[in-house]
Amino acid sequence: NVNVVIPYYGYSRQDRKDYSRAPISAAVIAKCLESQNIDRVIVFDLHAGQIAGFFSNRCPLDNLYCEKYIMSYIKTNIIANLNCNDGRDEVIIIAPDEGAVKSAIRISTRLKCAAATIFKSRIKPNEIHMMKLMGDVKGKIAVMVDDIIDTGGTMCKAADLLIENGAKEVYMLA
C-alpha cells in the first residue's frame, strides 16, 4: 500500500469556484494524487471539510485534527501556570474569524473555559475592513486558535483588538 501523509494540503482554500470557468484547485490536487495510484491520503486540519469529497472511494482521505494537541498545550503551558483555583476562569478561547468558531467552541467546552469570537469583514483579500469582538475578554488571558495563518494580518489586528478590550495576555495557536 502507498499511503501519503500531507501535513498541509495545498490549495485547501480553493475549494469552490470564485468565478465562471475557474478550476477548483483543491479538486485538481485530489485528481493528481489519485492519478499516482496511491491507496490513502492522510491530512491534518483541512481548511474546508468538503475537500474530502473530492477523493473517490478508491483513495480515501483521512482528516486528522490537531485540537487535542492544542488543548494539551493550553492545559500544560497556560492554565497550569496560573496561581488561582484551576485557572479556567482566567482563560478565554478566541475564534479570530467565523471559520474558527466551531473549533474554538469545541476547545473551550472540553477545557471548561469561556469562548468569544471576532467578526471580520474584508474589502478584498488580505485587507480587513472592520473587526468587532463578540464577548468579554477584560482581565482574561485570550488564546486565539485558528487552522492556518497566511499573512498574519488577521491575528495581529485581532491581538490589538483583544488588548484594547482589556485582555491581559494574548496567545496565538495555529
Side-chain angles (χ1 to χ4, degrees), residues 6-122:
I6 305 174
Y8 172 72
Y9 188 90
Y11 299 97
S12 65
R13 289 183 171 178
Q14 284 78 39
D15 57 326
R16 58 178 120 22
K17 288 181 176 245
D18 293 331
Y19 53 89
S20 178
R21 298 174 64 159
I24 301 175
S25 300
V28 172
I29 297 299
K31 285 185 178 136
C32 288
L33 288 166
E34 283 194 347
S35 74
Q36 300 302 306
N37 293 319
I38 59 179
D39 298 299
R40 179 175 298 279
V41 175
I42 300 169
V43 297
F44 297 90
D45 286 324
L46 275 178
H47 187 68
Q50 63 264 27
I51 292 171
F54 297 150
F55 289 84
S56 70
N57 290 340
R58 187 175 52 80
C59 177
L61 178 128
D62 292 324
N63 183 20
L64 305 179
Y65 297 95
C66 296
E67 283 178 10
K68 74 177 189 175
Y69 302 104
I70 289 172
M71 287 186 295
S72 175
Y73 181 88
I74 294 168
K75 280 183 201 173
T76 306
N77 298 289
I78 300 172
I79 294 174
N81 293 331
L82 297 172
N83 294 329
C84 57
N85 47 14
D86 70 358
R88 296 174 201 282
D89 293 341
E90 287 192 50
V91 174
I92 186 165
I93 307 300
I94 308 292
D97 57 27
E98 296 83 21
V101 171
K102 286 181 182 179
S103 179
I105 295 297
R106 276 193 305 267
I107 291 169
S108 68
T109 300
R110 290 185 181 129
L111 292 177
K112 297 182 175 90
C113 59
T117 188
I118 296 173
F119 172 77
K120 170 181 73 176
S121 66
R122 293 186 182 275

